[in-house]
């Protein structure tokens, strides 16, 4: 998307501040990938490489206009930012009820990548604790 160069400039200008890129930078409205998936991949790779103070939230798949294969975007984010800089997101309260789709696709990509339980916990809990200064009581069991 056109605003990602601005994200790059801001995160580099303030290296001691933590930034979080919402929805992998994919919810910029209709035609968010008009310039192509490869342009988005190149820009997010650059963000990952040049901005260690930037994390990415992965969710709101239902709002990724023009993205036909969300798993490809999630795979790219996990491989470029690493599990230590990716956060699962629910997009609550904007998209109530759409959580399962985003979480299931994210979980599937992490399983495909053979991510350890610790790395999965990073994405689904620990990174948010670190970035937002949250305190939790530890791992919670997922309802079946």
């Amino acid at each position: 998307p056109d605003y990602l160069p601005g994200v790059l400039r801001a995160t580099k200008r303030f290296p001691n501040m933590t930034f979080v890129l919402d929805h992998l930078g994919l919810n910029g409205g209709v035609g968010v990938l008009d310039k192509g998936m490869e342009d988005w991949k190149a820009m997010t790779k650059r963000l990952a490489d040049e901005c260690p103070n930037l994390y990415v939230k992965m969710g709101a798949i239902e709002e990724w206009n023009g993205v036909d294969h969300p798993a490809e975007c999630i795979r790219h984010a996990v491989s470029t930012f690493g599990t230590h800089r990716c956060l699962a997101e629910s997009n609550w309260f904007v998209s109530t009820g759409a959580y399962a789709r985003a979480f299931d696709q994210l979980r599937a990509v992490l399983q495909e990548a053979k991510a350890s339980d610790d790395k999965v916990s990073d994405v689904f809990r620990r990174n948010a604790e670190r970035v937002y200064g949250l305190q939790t009581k530890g791992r919670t069991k997922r309802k079946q």
Side-chain angles (χ1 to χ4, degrees):
D2 293 338
Y3 58 84
L4 291 179
V7 173
L8 179 70
R9 285 189 302 275
T11 54
K12 289 177 83 168
R13 184 172 179 188
F14 300 99
N16 296 321
M17 181 181 288
T18 299
F19 289 84
V20 179
L21 180 63
D22 210 11
H23 312 316
L24 293 180
L26 289 169
N27 65 331
V30 175
V32 72
L33 289 178
D34 282 348
K35 292 183 180 176
M37 178 70 79
E38 294 309 312
D39 284 351
W40 173 81
K41 284 182 174 181
M43 192 65 213
T44 52
K45 171 101 172 79
R46 192 168 166 204
L47 286 165
D49 291 347
E50 296 180 28
C51 305
N53 55 328
L54 178 68
Y55 289 73
V56 292
K57 287 196 322 185
M58 298 184 283
I61 290 171
E62 70 283 354
E63 294 183 22
W64 294 359
N65 299 307
V67 178
D68 296 325
H69 305 288
E72 179 181 357
C73 297
I74 295 168
R75 252 184 240 106
H76 172 74
V78 169
S79 68
T80 55
F81 284 89
T83 55
H84 63 288
R85 290 172 56 201
C86 293
L87 297 96
E89 73 165 304
S90 66
N91 203 36
W92 180 85
F93 63 96
V94 175
S95 301
T96 58
Y99 316 137
R101 180 173 177 220
F103 289 166
D104 289 347
Q105 289 210 22
L106 177 53
R107 192 175 295 107
V109 167
L110 292 170
Q111 287 174 338
E112 176 186 292
K114 298 182 181 8
S116 67
D117 288 345
D118 276 346
K119 289 183 178 190
V120 172
S121 289
D122 283 344
V123 172
F124 279 92
R125 181 177 54 87
R126 285 195 291 252
N127 293 340
E129 290 173 342
R130 184 172 48 256
V131 168
Y132 300 119
L134 304 173
Q135 293 181 352
T136 64
K137 294 181 181 180
R139 187 169 189 230
T140 56
K141 296 273 184 188
R142 179 176 173 219
K143 290 182 180 179
Q144 296 296 325

